[in-house]
Amino acid sequence: MLWNSVEKRDVENTARNLCKMREVTLVLASCVFLCFLPSCSQAARQGQDIRCGACRAVVDEMEWAISQIDPKKMIQTGSFRINPDGSQSIREVPLARSERNLLELMENVCERMEDYGEHKDSLTNRHSYLRIKSRSGEAMDLSEATLDSRVTSSLKFACETIVEQNEDEIIEFFAHETDNVKDKLCSKRTDLCDHALKIPHDEL
C-alpha cells in the first residue's frame, strides 16, 4: 500500500509538471507570435511600398521616354493586305505612342530601376522611391534617399512583374495622352498603391 501511495504521488507530480511545462510553452509561443506579428506586418507593408514605387517609376520612365520622340513622327499600322475593294487597312499614328514603340520601351524600362533610391518617411514609416541618377548627368541631392542593392533588386523584380502582368493596361494608358496615369494605373486599375492619391505626382 505504501508503494502504491508513493507511485500515485509521483504520477500526480509528473502530471503537474507536464501541465506547467505546457503552460510555459503556450506562453512562450504566444510571446513569439506577438513579437513576430509586427515584423510580418512591416515586411508586408514594405513589399507593398516597393510594388507601388515600381509602378509609379514605370510611369515616370515611360512618360519621359515618350517625350524624347518627335511627336510629329508617324508610323503606319494595320494590315497591308489588299481588301476586296482594292483598299488597304492602313493608318498612320504617332510613333511615340504606337504599340510597337510602347512594347520596345517596356522591354527596357525595368533597367532604369537601378537609378532609384529609397526614402523612408519618419512619420508614417512608409517607403517611397526617388531618382538618384540624373538623366542629363547633372548632380542630384541624395540626402533624401539611400542606395541599397537589395532594394534595387526588389524594385527591378517588382517592375518586371508589373510590366508582364499589366502589359495591356500600360499600352492602353500610354497609347493616348492621359492625365494622372500614376494614380489611374497604379491605384485605381491595378490596386498596387493603397495610398497613391496622397502622393504628389512628381514623387515616387
Side-chain angles (χ1 to χ4, degrees), residues 12-184:
E12 291 175 348
N13 288 334
T14 301
R16 281 195 293 270
N17 289 334
L18 287 173
C19 287
K20 290 180 180 179
M21 289 177 64
R22 284 186 61 189
E23 291 176 358
V24 171
T25 302
L26 288 172
V27 170
L28 289 173
S30 298
C31 290
V32 170
F33 178 72
L34 290 174
C35 291
F36 186 64
L37 274 179
S39 61
C40 283
S41 176
Q42 184 177 2
R45 176 172 291 184
Q46 186 169 4
Q48 184 181 45
D49 287 344
I50 287 177
R51 290 188 294 274
C52 175
C55 183
R56 296 171 71 83
V58 166
V59 173
D60 262 9
E61 295 302 321
M62 292 287 290
E63 288 181 337
W64 181 83
I66 290 171
S67 72
Q68 300 306 297
I69 300 175
D70 184 354
K72 297 179 181 179
K73 193 171 184 177
M74 308 296 283
I75 185 176
Q76 290 184 332
T77 64
S79 174
F80 287 88
R81 295 175 58 184
I82 305 297
N83 296 323
D85 61 358
S87 63
Q88 290 179 305
S89 301
I90 299 175
R91 63 192 181 95
E92 286 194 339
V93 298
L95 171 63
R97 295 186 180 275
S98 67
E99 182 173 342
R100 188 183 76 179
N101 184 57
L102 294 177
L103 288 172
E104 290 180 358
L105 295 180
M106 283 190 283
E107 287 182 3
N108 303 310
V109 67
C110 294
E111 298 299 325
R112 302 280 72 80
M113 298 303 109
E114 296 178 358
D115 298 339
Y116 286 77
E118 183 178 64
H119 168 72
K120 183 176 181 180
D121 190 305
S122 59
L123 297 178
T124 64
N125 288 327
R126 300 303 295 254
H127 297 78
S128 56
Y129 300 87
L130 313 170
R131 224 178 196 287
I132 58 174
K133 295 181 182 179
S134 171
R135 296 187 180 98
S136 62
E138 297 178 358
M140 298 184 67
D141 180 10
L142 306 181
S143 61
E144 296 295 323
T146 57
L147 181 61
D148 187 320
S149 59
R150 291 173 299 178
V151 171
T152 300
S153 297
S154 297
L155 202 62
K156 185 177 179 181
F157 178 77
C159 173
E160 292 170 346
T161 303
I162 291 168
V163 170
E164 180 180 350
Q165 295 180 350
N166 301 280
E167 178 181 298
D168 292 340
E169 287 79 2
I170 294 173
I171 291 176
E172 174 189 339
F173 279 110
F174 286 105
H176 308 282
E177 289 190 35
T178 307
D179 294 330
N180 300 338
V181 176
K182 288 180 184 177
D183 291 344
K184 292 176 180 177

